Amino acid sequence: MCGINGIVGLDNTSLLTQTITAMNFAIKHRGPDDNGVWTEGAIGFGHTRLSIIDLSSLGHQPMFSNDRKLVLVYNGELYNFKELKSELQSSYAFKTNSDTEVILAAYQKWGVDCLKRFDGMFAFALYDYNDNQVIVARDRLGVKPLYYNYSNSTLLFSSEMRAILKSNLVKRKIYKPALATYLRYQTVYSPDTIIEGVKILPAGHFMVFKNATLQVTKYWDVTTIDTSSCKGKSYDDITTDIRKLLFDSVEKRLVADVPFGAFLSGGIDSSAIVAIMSKLNKGKVKTFSVVFDEAKFSEAKYSQIVANKYKTEHHEINLTVSDFKKELPNALAAMDYPTGDGVNSYVIAKATKNAGVSMALSGIGSDELFAGYDVFRRTKKINTYNWVSTFPNFLKKIAAASIANLKPSVASDKFSELLMEPNWDIDSIYKYSRKVLSEKQLQEMSSNLWQEKNLFDDKMDAILSEESLSLLNGEYNLSRISLLEIGTYLENVLLRDTDQMSMAHALEVREPFLDYKLMQYVLAVPDNYKYPVTPKKLLVDSLSDLIPLEIINRPKMGFTFPWKEWMKGDLRLFCEQSLISLGEREYFNKNYLMNRWKLFLNNHPSVTWSRIWYLVVLENWMKQNNIE
């Protein structure tokens, strides 16, 4: 895995080289094995390399095609590169064993249509001398990031926000609608970012820069679902298909020229991945788990059951609060983009890399695909009460106030806000599922921000605009929720966190549940086969002989640290000082922030640790990056 940078349209050769070099330095952690800079005229590409496939110097980037008519910088892995290479060998003389060269050959033969043939995770930029154009593309599901700025006829792009800022070609200014959205949802959704003028290339898109004009185009969409693929099939037929697709997905993700392992929490998802890896891999699988002295947070018991069953080379990372305090400054410094969850990933990625592993498999994506989150059951249940939407508004207001006062909690805050929705359908209900701050709370926190546009609405509209979604109602309500989870939370929180925190240690993470063939098949499975009567029943039944019963029947635990205890103890001063500092910024009400902090310290049920921590992180990130 690597990092890429580029500038197109900067007509100053010395500044161009200097800026690309500075951008490379800003993301050197992504690629400690090699780096390269290429400039010509007003175009410059930069690359930092983490060698996973073809470790030789022949894999150096930027890479040229044989006829030197194409120049490429690439971050990612093509899982089907061997099949593509075999198909292309008659028309291209390969000099390396890398998947990078396969992209050059594929583009030379098929143009941008090559993207539809790629099976992998990637972000790349390619300069085509013949057409004098730059192509920038991102993988189907957005596993690999791509930030860009287009202004004054100049295109600037990078794998990370910090390199964009390091270029000094973009003002370090907050984008107000994005900040308001972050406060509401703890993230910002593609194509927007928290910095004014900086965008994210959405998943499944490419852009062409030619004649100082930028055109963004979608080449693939997860919502394009063929429900006929499961029509007429029995439940056993479907579980057999899913099992095969999962084995195929894991197998192609084991291709690497470096030592690899897996994250093992002892939950269904990671246990499934480790089980399949053990069946496919001849040697012992290396597994990694974070454990705590606080027993109620530790999953050591369950991860050990799986490790014992499959005789893995198991590594437990025992994390104490003192260890965490030492690690926290480094984790926050590694944060390319503000997030409330990423520190978890940082710790386990560091331990995995320190054990000599450069690539690891993860269970990310399973909950979104197999209806594993509470949001699936809760949304369907609330939808059965849609008769409430017919009540007059004055009754709704009375009910909302009563609920909030009689039983204060995060859930009651959301339900009170939901009551005022004119329609109670799946989409309206979902809008509140991942909300962190209500509109009333946002207004009290920031009188300047609460009227800013909610970018989450734009994201939902984009996800739900596809014609194929008209099929996903009635018997496909769970798939509809899956698509919303994939397009919002998965793409803009989990994948971003995984990338930034694993690449902080030059560790590549691969996600078998995000195989696009598996994903589209499971999305085509109707609700009656997928409804979560028990956790991820469809997945469990597909691998029933591989996952221990103790894992299947265990209580669900998200991978989280003992944040509440730590924030009230050793991290208390750090959190409080960060909130004071945030409150002194232009857009925030300091008194309201401090009141929220006191409510948290007093265990008020409506102010959980996550509703404080993401504010602490925001202040730290803004200060660290000198954001206006």
Side-chain angles (χ1 to χ4, degrees):
M1 205 52 58
C2 310
I4 65 173
N5 297 305
I7 305 174
V8 190
L10 185 59
D11 228 350
N12 182 324
T13 304
S14 60
L15 179 61
L16 182 63
T17 303
Q18 177 185 332
T19 305
I20 291 291
T21 302
M23 292 172 73
N24 267 9
F25 185 78
I27 60 169
K28 63 180 181 177
H29 52 275
R30 296 184 70 94
D33 299 329
D34 191 17
N35 71 86
V37 173
W38 165 81
T39 61
E40 184 167 313
I43 302 175
F45 284 174
H47 186 264
T48 62
R49 184 186 181 199
L50 172 63
S51 305
I52 300 293
I53 294 174
D54 189 353
L55 310 186
S56 73
S57 60
L58 294 174
H60 176 80
Q61 295 184 46
M63 183 180 284
F64 287 81
S65 59
N66 287 336
D67 61 5
R68 300 190 72 80
K69 295 295 184 183
L70 303 174
V71 191
L72 175 72
V73 283
Y74 161 60
N75 166 32
E77 303 293 348
L78 287 189
Y79 303 128
N80 64 336
F81 82 98
K82 290 183 178 178
E83 295 88 338
L84 289 171
K85 185 174 183 179
S86 178
E87 187 177 353
L88 291 163
Q89 272 179 327
S90 60
S91 59
Y92 190 93
F94 287 93
K95 297 178 180 177
T96 76
N97 294 317
S98 71
D99 54 345
T100 308
E101 194 176 18
V102 170
I103 292 178
L104 288 167
Y107 178 84
Q108 195 171 74
K109 185 174 180 66
W110 299 306
V112 292
D113 283 344
C114 67
L115 292 167
K116 297 175 182 177
R117 295 172 179 260
F118 292 163
D119 181 1
M121 54 178 185
F122 56 81
F124 69 77
L126 182 150
Y127 175 58
D128 182 342
Y129 275 90
N130 290 326
D131 292 330
N132 190 27
Q133 64 183 13
V134 172
I135 313 294
V136 183
R138 195 176 180 203
D139 64 73
R140 284 176 166 88
L141 290 160
V143 178
K144 293 290 104 184
L146 198 290
Y147 297 90
Y148 72 95
N149 168 260
Y150 171 57
S151 59
N152 301 320
S153 301
T154 300
L155 174 66
L156 174 72
F157 63 84
S158 178
S159 296
E160 294 195 6
M161 175 70 81
R162 76 187 85 195
I164 296 280
L165 298 176
K166 192 69 174 180
S167 73
N168 293 322
L169 299 175
V170 173
K171 289 183 179 179
R172 297 170 181 252
K173 185 178 180 182
I174 280 286
Y175 179 41
K176 286 175 66 177
L179 177 57
T181 301
Y182 177 87
L183 295 176
R184 288 180 175 110
Y185 286 97
Q186 195 179 285
T187 190
V188 183
Y189 304 96
S190 67
D192 296 294
T193 77
I194 204 163
I195 298 296
E196 191 172 285
V198 179
K199 297 283 189 180
I200 299 175
L201 183 63
H205 282 66
F206 71 92
M207 52 189 181
V208 178
F209 187 78
K210 185 174 183 177
N211 299 327
T213 301
L214 185 68
Q215 182 177 358
V216 180
T217 305
K218 181 188 292 184
Y219 70 88
W220 186 84
D221 197 310
V222 67
T223 65
T224 307
I225 298 163
D226 180 11
T227 55
S228 66
S229 61
C230 295
K231 289 288 186 185
K233 289 189 174 182
S234 68
Y235 186 74
D236 288 344
D237 290 338
I238 287 174
T239 56
T240 299
D241 289 345
I242 289 172
R243 183 187 182 96
K244 183 181 185 309
L245 286 165
L246 264 171
F247 266 77
D248 290 346
S249 177
V250 172
E251 184 171 28
K252 61 190 173 188
R253 283 166 175 78
L254 294 180
V255 176
D257 297 329
V258 294
F260 56 81
F263 301 142
L264 177 60
S265 68
I268 290 171
D269 312 331
S270 61
S271 299
I273 298 301
V274 169
I276 297 172
M277 288 176 72
S278 298
K279 293 293 182 182
L280 294 171
N281 192 48
K282 292 180 181 178
K284 280 190 173 186
V285 175
K286 293 182 178 181
T287 53
F288 301 85
S289 302
V290 172
V291 299
F292 304 104
D293 292 335
E294 296 89 344
K296 67 178 179 178
F297 293 98
S298 185
E299 299 182 283
K301 169 186 173 182
Y302 300 106
S303 56
Q304 195 62 58
I305 289 171
V306 178
N308 290 342
K309 178 176 175 65
Y310 292 103
K311 298 178 172 58
T312 71
E313 184 182 319
H314 192 52
H315 303 257
E316 286 191 347
I317 308 156
N318 190 281
L319 192 65
T320 66
V321 66
S322 59
D323 294 333
F324 182 76
K325 275 187 70 178
K326 292 175 187 174
E327 207 60 70
L328 184 60
N330 297 326
L332 291 173
M335 200 171 284
D336 179 55
Y337 201 92
T339 172
D341 290 334
V343 176
N344 306 14
S345 303
Y346 179 91
V347 173
I348 192 169
K350 179 179 181 179
T352 304
K353 184 69 176 185
N354 287 346
V357 169
S358 293
M359 185 272 283
L361 269 61
S362 165
I364 286 176
S366 172
D367 283 304
E368 289 79 3
L369 200 52
F370 291 97
Y373 294 130
D374 287 341
V375 64
F376 288 90
R377 183 183 287 106
R378 186 171 59 244
T379 302
K380 286 201 70 169
K381 181 179 180 180
I382 293 174
N383 193 40
T384 63
Y385 302 144
N386 56 11
W387 46 267
V388 174
S389 64
T390 63
F391 286 11
N393 277 347
F394 80 92
L395 283 180
K396 290 181 182 179
K397 288 180 180 179
I398 293 171
S402 299
I403 291 168
N405 291 328
L406 291 174
K407 194 176 181 181
S409 68
V410 171
S412 64
D413 284 347
K414 290 182 180 183
F415 194 73
S416 297
E417 202 170 17
L418 171 62
L419 272 173
M420 303 312 298
E421 281 286 323
N423 298 305
W424 272 30
D425 54 18
I426 292 290
D427 304 336
S428 298
I429 297 166
Y430 178 80
K431 186 166 70 172
Y432 296 95
S433 64
R434 294 210 175 269
K435 205 166 187 187
V436 175
L437 211 62
S438 71
E439 296 306 301
K440 181 176 181 294
Q441 290 165 341
L442 178 59
Q443 184 177 359
E444 292 174 351
M445 181 182 290
S446 175
S447 58
N448 294 321
L449 290 174
W450 75 277
Q451 295 185 69
E452 292 291 339
K453 185 176 184 180
N454 187 351
L455 300 177
F456 182 82
D457 293 338
D458 289 348
K459 187 63 177 179
M460 276 192 68
D461 289 345
I463 296 168
L464 300 173
S465 66
E466 300 302 314
E467 289 183 9
S468 59
L469 276 175
S470 62
L471 299 170
L472 296 184
N473 49 45
E475 61 178 328
Y476 294 98
N477 277 328
L478 291 176
S479 291
R480 193 176 185 90
I481 299 169
S482 284
L483 288 170
L484 290 166
E485 282 286 282
I486 290 164
T488 58
Y489 183 64
L490 177 68
E491 179 185 341
N492 299 281
V493 177
L494 292 182
L495 289 179
R496 184 154 57 200
D497 286 355
T498 299
D499 177 83
Q500 66 177 343
M501 292 310 191
S502 62
M503 292 311 297
H505 304 289
L507 174 73
E508 176 179 314
V509 177
R510 299 179 180 180
E511 298 93 353
F513 286 110
L514 299 190
D515 183 89
Y516 79 94
K517 294 176 184 176
L518 169 68
M519 187 163 277
Q520 290 200 305
Y521 184 89
V522 177
L523 288 170
V525 176
D527 287 3
N528 62 312
Y529 282 163
K530 201 162 51 179
Y531 189 74
V533 178
T534 56
K536 287 169 276 200
K537 184 176 187 300
L538 185 59
L539 172 61
V540 169
D541 289 348
S542 301
L543 302 171
S544 57
D545 59 320
L546 299 181
I547 306 175
L549 283 175
E550 298 96 323
I551 304 303
I552 295 170
N553 297 325
R554 61 166 286 192
K556 182 175 175 60
M557 290 173 63
F559 173 48
T560 187
F561 293 172
W563 285 107
K564 180 180 176 181
E565 289 78 1
W566 292 356
M567 287 168 65
K568 288 184 177 185
D570 288 50
L571 298 181
R572 178 168 176 165
L573 182 60
F574 170 72
C575 292
E576 192 163 307
Q577 289 175 340
S578 297
L579 291 173
I580 290 170
S581 181
L582 183 65
E584 291 169 351
R585 292 185 181 270
E586 177 184 359
Y587 299 130
F588 292 91
N589 181 332
K590 183 176 180 179
N591 291 333
Y592 181 78
L593 287 174
M594 298 318 298
N595 182 55
R596 295 277 287 178
W597 174 239
K598 289 175 184 175
L599 288 173
F600 166 72
L601 293 176
N602 291 325
N603 295 318
H604 195 280
S606 69
V607 187
T608 59
W609 70 265
S610 61
R611 283 159 175 76
I612 295 293
W613 180 249
Y614 84 119
L615 299 172
V616 172
V617 167
L618 174 65
E619 168 57 25
N620 188 273
W621 183 82
M622 291 174 71
K623 185 183 296 182
Q624 181 175 287
N625 291 282
N626 300 314
I627 306 300
E628 297 176 20

